[in-house]
């Protein structure tokens, strides 16, 4: 999958995608989250590597919540339960998925 047009010229996204693919991630995409959106506890059928590009999210896993902001990164193992609550500006994530 090629980089979306909105980030095609962004050297940082290109580097994020290249590193993720070198590390075995098979899909890299940009995700937009609406202001105030809340996702109750859920899982994904893939592992994730995420770079927060814009906005903020309160991310809860294993009973601990931390607020992630632009520039922060995190990884999430396959099917790890977690919840998300997005801030007043919403958020943009760069996401690498490994199935």
């Amino acid at each position: 999958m090629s980089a979306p047009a909105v980030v095609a010229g962004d050297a940082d996204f290109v580097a994020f995608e290249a590193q993720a693919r070198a590390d075995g991630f098979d899909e890299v995409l940009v995700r937009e989250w609406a202001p105030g959106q809340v996702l109750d506890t859920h899982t994904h059928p893939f592992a994730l590597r995420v770079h927060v590009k814009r906005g903020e999210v309160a991310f809860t896993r294993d009973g601990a919540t931390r607020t992630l902001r632009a520039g922060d990164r995190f990884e999430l193992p396959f099917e790890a339960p977690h919840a998300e609550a997005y801030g007043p500006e919403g958020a943009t994530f760069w996401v690498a998925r490994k199935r």
Side-chain angles (χ1 to χ4, degrees), residues 18-97:
Q19 185 61 59
R21 291 192 185 280
D23 292 341
F25 289 83
D26 55 328
E27 183 178 26
V28 181
L29 52 107
V30 176
R31 292 291 315 262
E32 295 286 338
W33 299 101
Q37 185 171 358
V38 175
L39 300 173
D40 290 328
T41 301
H42 63 285
T43 64
H44 299 286
F46 40 77
L48 291 169
R49 176 178 293 166
V50 176
H51 171 84
V52 181
K53 182 63 177 171
R54 177 192 64 80
E56 69 179 38
V57 59
F59 183 82
T60 302
R61 179 165 178 241
D62 297 330
T65 299
R66 61 183 223 197
T67 300
L68 303 165
R69 294 180 177 83
D72 289 337
R73 293 183 179 213
F74 67 94
E75 294 201 18
L76 192 62
F78 174 83
E79 292 191 351
H82 64 286
E84 304 158 46
Y86 292 88
E89 298 175 19
T92 302
F93 284 3
W94 295 342
V95 180
R97 296 176 177 170

